[in-house]
């Protein structure tokens, strides 16, 4: 728990003055009072430093407050990360302790987006699972104690019922048996109560950390979060091992009290030497706990596959019936439920196909020619209506246009991240639309793009005339461009969950994947795989399914027609 003692200004305290702190600078790692904070906020060196209130800082767990961005041995700022030793290092550490370490990386690369990484959610889930395991085990023990109490009561009743029918001769034997029962019952209950008390203490510790987790993610620095996760990992791993050790031992084996009475008591009292005996029978535990993750530390550093590891496998092909055979596919999408959407430019229609690629129904017919479409959220699709200067939102389930977004320019491309839409003009102009309030922002000077995609705040676009891929910030600032001989007349594009860009390279009948940094590429599908004149492409980032439009030969004397292939990547 964070300390409740009032924090003092570090600067004033060094001068022997006890002024209460109001601000904590996460970069200077210093507490400031109101007077000392003013020059700090105005200095050119520190005015952009991240700060938090002293009250918020005080809410952090103690072990997080003790985490520093400086090496305690050399008093220098951590700048590197040793993957072999799994620790941050300063430049002096490299000389002193890590001369032979090969896996040294910039700490800034490791800390990038730590709070938004999957690791935070995984460790939060670990805390929740461990807490649930302890609570489940405690509840189980309580139930077992109640069951043991009931068994004990029934045993006593059985013994005393028999006692009513027998001679005073058996009084002493009866008492001996009751004493034996009490001894074994007390020992059995005492052992379980003692174990339950130990587990309740651990449950209290886990509950405290779990209760502070949201504050931890909100008020910590990236470094504090990074190192704190390792401390949390240690606690959860220890607690998980503690529970698993208990389970693998005999602590959760059901030990049942049972009394066996002599069958000849009623007729042969003179031959009976004891009232019976007390046994504790064991059966397999019925306790079910969640299995903890192994090697949890590996989740702190995300493992992204290389481009060479991407190998799509064909799952199915959309079946195009005769009544819809002559399609002009301007977009193909995968819905969250696994069904497929085709945007037919020729007939201005949105078509729905089943998970198996069978045509289900026409969703909507538009008044203007549709040029592009994208999934917005759930089963809502955005469709760009070209020269109609509007983009519409379509509810696929209800087969209905639920909103029309009017723009000041043509709409030839559209992309969404669920929160915003980016709609492109035929030239270098784009408009972003905030889906929460429908406010619009025009972006100028992004360069001509044929198709666009939106991922993690960046806009990606293909330039078919220049045979290149471009990546921009959502504000319009160019981040990088990529050209390669394997990319010819690039049209549609999409991104997977790791940021790899998949391009429909129509000029050479192939699908090309470009690395997230825009430096290398690989052809993953070609005309040898049946790809011909690909135009549209989409990926479901949750399932890893990819859909690609392609021209295929017709049967017998039929002409070629368009369909879509579905792959697992």
């Amino acid at each position: 728990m964070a300390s409740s003692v009032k924090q003092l200004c570090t600067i004033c305290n060094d001068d022997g003055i006890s002024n209460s702190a109001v601000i904590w600078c996460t970069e200077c790692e210093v507490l400031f009072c109101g007077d000392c904070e003013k020059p700090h906020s105005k200095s050119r060196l520190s005015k952009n430093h991240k700060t938090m209130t002293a009250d918020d800082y005080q809410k952090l767990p103690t072990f997080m407050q003790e985490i520093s961005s400086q090496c305690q041995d050399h008093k220098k700022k951590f700048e590197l990360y040793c993957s072999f030793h799994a620790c941050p290092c300063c430049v002096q550490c490299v000389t002193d302790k890590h001369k032979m370490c090969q896996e040294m990386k910039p700490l800034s690369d490791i800390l990038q987006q730590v709070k938004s990484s999957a690791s935070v959610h995984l460790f939060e889930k670990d805390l929740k699972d461990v807490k649930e395991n302890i609570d489940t085990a405690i509840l189980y023990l309580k139930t077992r104690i109640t069951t043991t109490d009931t068994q004990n009561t029934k045993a006593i009743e059985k013994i005393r019922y028999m006692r009513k029918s027998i001679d005073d001769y058996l009084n002493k034997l009866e008492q001996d048996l009751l004493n034996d029962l009490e001894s074994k019952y007390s020992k059995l209950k005492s052992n379980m109560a003692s174990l339950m008390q130990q587990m309740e203490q651990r449950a209290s510790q886990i509950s405290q950390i779990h209760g502070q987790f949201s504050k931890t993610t909100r008020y910590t620095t990236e470094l504090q979060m990074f190192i704190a996760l390792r401390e949390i990992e240690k606690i959860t791993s220890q607690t998980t091992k503690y529970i698993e050790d208990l389970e693998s031992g005999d602590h959760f084996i059901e030990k049942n009290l049972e009394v066996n009475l002599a069958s000849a008591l009623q007729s042969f009292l003179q031959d009976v030497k004891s009232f019976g005996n007390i046994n504790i029978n064991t059966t397999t535990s019925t306790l079910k706990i969640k299995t903890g993750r192994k090697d949890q530390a590996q989740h702190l550093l995300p493992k992204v596959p290389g481009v060479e590891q991407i190998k799509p496998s064909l799952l199915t092909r959309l079946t195009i019936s005769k009544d819809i055979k002559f399609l002009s596919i301007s977009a193909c999408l995968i819905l969250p439920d696994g069904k497929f959407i085709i945007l037919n430019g020729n007939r201005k229609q949105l078509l729905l196909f089943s998970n198996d690629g069978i045509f289900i129904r026409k969703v909507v017919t538009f008044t203007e020619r549709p040029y592009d479409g994208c999934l917005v959220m759930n089963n809502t699709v955005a469709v760009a209506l070209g020269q109609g200067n509007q983009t519409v939102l379509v509810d696929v389930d209800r087969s209905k246009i639920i909103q029309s977004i009017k723009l000041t320019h043509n709409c030839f491309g559209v992309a969404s991240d669920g929160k915003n839409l980016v709609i492109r003009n035929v030239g270098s102009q784009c408009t972003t639309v905030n889906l929460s309030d429908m406010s619009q922002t025009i972006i100028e000077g992004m360069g001509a793009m044929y198709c666009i995609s939106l991922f993690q705040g960046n806009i990606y676009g293909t330039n078919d005339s220049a045979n290149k891929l471009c990546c921009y910030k959502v504000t319009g600032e160019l981040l990088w461009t990529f050209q390669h001989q394997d990319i010819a007349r690039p049209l549609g594009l999409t991104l997977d969950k790791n940021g790899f860009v998949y391009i429909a390279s129509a000029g050479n009948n192939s699908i090309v994947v470009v690395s997230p940094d825009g430096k290398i590429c690989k052809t993953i599908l070609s005309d040898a795989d049946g790809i011909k004149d690909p135009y549209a492409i989409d990926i479901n980032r949750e399932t890893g399914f990819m859909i690609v439009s392609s021209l295929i030969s017709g049967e017998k004397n039929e002409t070629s027609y368009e369909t879509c292939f579905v792959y697992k990547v």
Side-chain angles (χ1 to χ4, degrees):
M1 291 291 290
S3 171
S4 60
V5 178
K6 193 67 176 178
Q7 301 281 3
L8 297 178
C9 173
T10 306
I11 307 300
C12 294
N13 194 47
D14 290 342
D15 294 334
I17 303 172
S18 299
N19 283 338
S20 296
V22 296
I23 289 293
W24 165 260
C25 177
T26 61
E27 298 184 45
C28 296
E29 297 182 355
V30 169
L31 286 161
F32 294 103
C33 64
D35 292 336
C36 294
E37 192 273 337
K38 292 178 182 178
H40 173 267
S41 63
K42 294 180 179 179
S43 170
R44 287 187 302 168
L45 298 176
S46 59
K47 65 180 182 180
N48 294 322
H49 284 190
K50 294 181 180 179
T51 61
M52 68 171 69
T53 66
D55 289 339
D56 287 343
Y57 175 70
Q58 201 170 7
K59 293 175 184 177
L60 297 177
T62 302
F63 73 90
M64 285 196 168
Q65 293 184 20
E66 294 172 353
I67 296 172
S68 173
S69 62
Q70 285 193 339
C71 172
Q72 298 302 308
D73 295 332
H74 306 110
K75 307 305 178 185
K76 293 183 178 180
K77 190 175 182 65
F78 288 131
E79 297 180 12
L80 301 168
Y81 180 82
C82 176
S83 299
F84 181 78
H85 291 97
C87 67
C89 312
C90 70
V91 291
Q92 189 64 40
C93 289
V94 177
T95 304
D96 292 352
K97 300 178 181 179
H98 301 271
K99 290 181 180 179
M100 304 302 294
C101 298
Q102 301 297 317
E103 296 295 320
M104 302 296 292
K105 300 178 181 179
L107 185 59
S108 57
D109 292 349
I110 300 298
L111 298 183
Q112 188 176 17
Q113 297 180 334
V114 166
K115 287 188 177 182
S116 61
S117 70
S119 305
V120 174
H121 302 292
L122 286 173
F123 281 110
E124 183 177 20
K125 183 179 182 298
D126 289 340
L127 280 171
K128 180 181 178 182
D129 288 347
V130 171
K131 182 179 181 297
E132 287 180 359
N133 283 343
I134 290 185
D135 291 342
T136 301
I138 290 172
L139 180 61
Y140 170 80
L141 288 173
K142 287 180 178 179
T143 303
R144 289 304 309 154
I145 289 175
T146 301
T147 301
T148 304
D149 285 341
T150 302
Q151 293 170 346
N152 176 68
T153 301
K154 289 181 178 181
I156 294 174
E157 289 174 353
K158 190 174 183 179
I159 293 168
R160 289 180 174 169
Y161 175 79
M162 179 59 71
R163 185 178 181 276
K164 293 177 183 179
S165 305
I166 64 175
D167 194 339
D168 289 342
Y169 166 77
L170 297 178
N171 283 347
K172 183 178 180 303
L173 296 180
E174 177 195 14
Q175 191 59 49
D176 290 343
L177 184 60
L178 289 173
N179 290 342
D180 185 24
L181 171 64
E182 181 61 27
S183 173
K184 291 179 179 177
Y185 161 68
S186 298
K187 183 178 179 180
L188 182 61
K189 183 174 181 178
S190 176
N191 289 342
M192 287 190 289
S194 177
L195 177 59
M196 186 176 71
Q197 184 178 13
Q198 294 176 19
M199 297 191 73
E200 285 177 336
Q201 291 175 351
R202 288 182 179 258
S204 176
Q205 180 189 16
I206 294 297
S207 294
Q208 286 180 347
I209 297 177
H210 183 261
Q212 297 171 344
F213 198 86
S214 61
K215 296 177 182 177
T216 297
T217 57
R218 188 182 308 166
Y219 302 119
T220 58
T221 63
E222 300 291 346
L223 177 60
Q224 287 176 325
M225 190 72 227
F226 180 76
I227 298 178
L229 289 180
R230 299 193 61 81
E231 183 65 24
I232 292 173
E233 173 207 355
K234 179 180 177 182
I235 294 172
T236 56
S237 297
Q238 288 175 347
T239 306
T240 298
K241 186 177 185 304
Y242 170 76
I243 297 173
E244 292 173 346
D245 288 346
L246 290 178
E247 186 184 27
S248 62
D250 64 350
H251 297 281
F252 294 138
I253 294 176
E254 296 185 4
K255 299 177 181 181
N256 301 307
L257 285 170
E258 183 180 18
V259 61
N260 295 319
L261 299 175
S263 60
L265 269 176
Q266 293 180 335
S267 56
F268 300 101
L269 295 178
Q270 67 276 14
D271 295 329
V272 177
K273 304 303 180 188
S274 69
F275 209 84
N277 60 80
I278 302 298
N279 294 322
I280 297 177
N281 299 320
T282 61
T283 58
T284 304
S285 171
T286 57
L287 174 65
K288 302 296 182 183
I289 63 174
K290 296 180 179 179
T291 303
R293 291 186 296 119
K294 307 298 182 183
D295 302 323
Q296 296 175 10
Q298 65 183 338
H299 295 285
L300 288 173
L301 299 177
K303 293 184 177 179
V304 177
V307 68
E308 69 282 350
Q309 296 175 269
I310 299 176
K311 298 177 181 179
S313 57
L314 181 64
L315 297 178
T316 189
R317 187 185 82 186
L318 300 194
T319 301
I320 308 300
S321 56
K322 290 185 178 180
D323 56 332
I324 61 169
K325 179 147 290 186
F326 298 104
L327 297 171
S328 175
I329 300 176
S330 54
C332 53
L333 308 172
I334 305 177
L335 297 177
D337 60 7
K339 294 185 179 70
F340 307 105
I341 285 288
I342 295 297
L343 192 61
N344 183 6
N346 276 348
R347 297 189 177 181
K348 306 175 184 178
Q349 294 175 333
L350 199 64
L351 308 177
L352 179 65
F353 289 75
S354 71
N355 304 58
D356 299 325
I358 306 300
F359 175 66
I360 299 177
R361 60 182 168 85
K362 178 191 69 176
V363 179
V364 171
T365 298
F366 305 102
T367 56
E368 300 285 344
R369 180 183 175 89
Y371 280 84
D372 195 11
C374 70
L375 180 67
V376 178
M377 63 181 69
N378 301 325
N379 279 8
T380 300
V381 173
V383 178
L385 298 181
Q387 297 176 350
N389 288 21
Q390 66 173 324
T391 294
V392 296
L393 300 183
V394 179
D395 186 322
V396 176
D397 294 332
R398 294 190 289 163
S399 298
K400 181 180 180 181
I401 296 175
I402 57 176
Q403 186 153 9
S404 295
I405 304 170
K406 302 289 186 179
L407 282 89
T408 58
H409 58 71
N410 298 154
C411 303
F412 290 101
V414 62
S416 176
D417 59 3
K419 298 179 180 179
N420 298 284
L421 285 179
V422 176
I423 305 167
R424 74 166 181 86
N425 193 355
V426 69
S428 59
Q429 188 181 59
C430 285
T431 296
T432 60
V433 180
N434 187 318
L435 291 172
S436 62
D437 59 12
M438 292 299 165
S439 58
Q440 299 182 13
T441 303
I442 295 179
I443 308 171
E444 300 281 359
M446 291 184 62
M449 293 186 291
Y450 194 87
C451 289
I452 59 174
S453 188
L454 184 61
F455 182 71
Q456 293 185 349
N458 292 334
I459 301 172
Y460 298 78
T462 53
N463 185 322
D464 61 322
S465 60
N467 295 327
K468 68 180 179 180
L469 170 68
C470 302
C471 176
Y472 296 87
K473 287 185 178 181
V474 76
T475 55
E477 178 185 347
L478 179 65
L479 293 176
W480 52 262
T481 60
F482 180 78
Q483 290 177 286
H484 192 274
Q485 61 185 10
D486 289 352
I487 299 176
R489 196 163 65 89
L491 301 177
L493 77 162
T494 186
L495 288 92
D496 65 15
K497 65 180 181 180
N498 295 315
F500 287 94
V501 189
Y502 295 67
I503 301 173
S505 182
N508 54 8
N509 300 322
S510 65
I511 303 298
V512 181
V513 179
V514 179
S515 61
D517 56 5
K519 292 183 178 180
I520 59 173
C521 72
K522 173 190 175 184
T523 297
I524 59 171
L525 292 170
S526 65
D527 51 5
D529 302 294
I531 299 297
K532 185 177 181 181
D533 200 20
Y535 184 98
I537 185 171
D538 185 42
I539 284 180
N540 183 316
R541 292 172 190 151
E542 296 295 325
T543 63
F545 287 0
M546 176 177 72
I547 185 170
V548 178
S549 71
S550 177
L551 194 66
I552 64 171
S553 300
E555 298 177 0
K556 297 181 180 180
N557 296 324
E558 290 183 343
T559 59
S560 298
Y561 63 93
E562 289 186 59
T563 184
C564 289
F565 296 104
V566 181
Y567 302 85
K568 173 69 175 179
V569 294

